Amino acid sequence: MKVVDYFEVAEGVLPTALPLYETYVPMGFPSPAENYTATSLDITTYLIRRKATTYYIKVEGDSMYPVIQSGALLVVDRSLYPRSGDIVVALINRELMVKRIRYSEDQIYLVAENQAYPTVTITPYTDFEVQGVVTFAINQFKKFD
């Protein structure tokens, strides 16, 4: 998955609070009695834990499908240590990509969700750096006119 845009988290931007439903919404048929809100939520307080080390990126491609769709906006935190299984933004030989990181004894692998893509093996000769851990993927389901 290729990175196509990069955005820093803006300091001093006014939050936008929207209604938050008090209960979880079932994926079946919702109860009409639960159609009320009790509070509001500023989505940035939910998505961002550390403003100073967080950024957004937009991605394209299908190597991480179905977990991340082409055109998704990712929330990435540079301060997190990448654990095996995390999705990371990695700089490999001067190219940014998004993959799942896996550790095996003394080896590091970058794995695509889409099995049509090969696993990248990091060798001592690979120019490799983790740029951050993906904490959220915002996939767009409806295109706006």
Side-chain angles (χ1 to χ4, degrees):
M1 185 150 260
K2 188 171 107 176
V3 174
V4 293
D5 241 333
Y6 172 90
F7 310 93
E8 287 288 338
V9 174
E11 288 291 332
V13 173
L14 294 176
T16 302
L18 298 173
L20 173 66
Y21 285 95
E22 195 172 67
T23 61
Y24 286 95
V25 177
M27 295 231 222
F29 296 101
S31 166
E34 295 177 347
N35 277 344
Y36 64 92
T37 59
T39 186
S40 57
L41 170 72
D42 170 15
I43 194 69
T44 59
T45 61
Y46 183 75
L47 296 176
I48 299 169
R49 298 286 181 241
R50 298 170 195 88
K51 278 187 182 180
T53 61
T54 302
Y55 62 95
Y56 304 111
I57 59 169
K58 281 190 83 171
V59 293
E60 69 178 18
D62 65 350
S63 70
M64 293 304 288
Y65 182 84
V67 175
I68 301 172
Q69 298 174 9
S70 188
L73 180 68
L74 305 183
V75 181
V76 183
D77 191 333
R78 290 185 287 256
S79 71
L80 298 176
Y81 179 81
R83 296 185 197 149
S84 192
D86 283 347
I87 296 175
V88 299
V89 176
L91 185 61
I92 301 169
N93 298 324
R94 297 187 211 155
E95 182 182 345
L96 279 174
M97 63 177 62
V98 176
K99 298 285 186 260
R100 193 173 295 277
I101 196 165
R102 298 266 186 225
Y103 301 106
S104 173
E105 295 179 23
D106 60 346
Q107 196 65 58
I108 300 173
Y109 302 96
L110 295 175
V111 183
E113 289 293 315
N114 184 338
Q115 293 181 359
Y117 289 84
T119 295
V120 177
T121 303
I122 304 302
T123 70
Y125 307 105
T126 307
D127 185 10
F128 167 72
E129 182 180 329
V130 173
Q131 300 287 305
V133 175
V134 176
T135 56
F136 289 92
I138 302 168
N139 294 309
Q140 184 175 3
F141 297 110
K142 172 89 173 130
K143 301 290 183 200
F144 297 106
D145 296 332

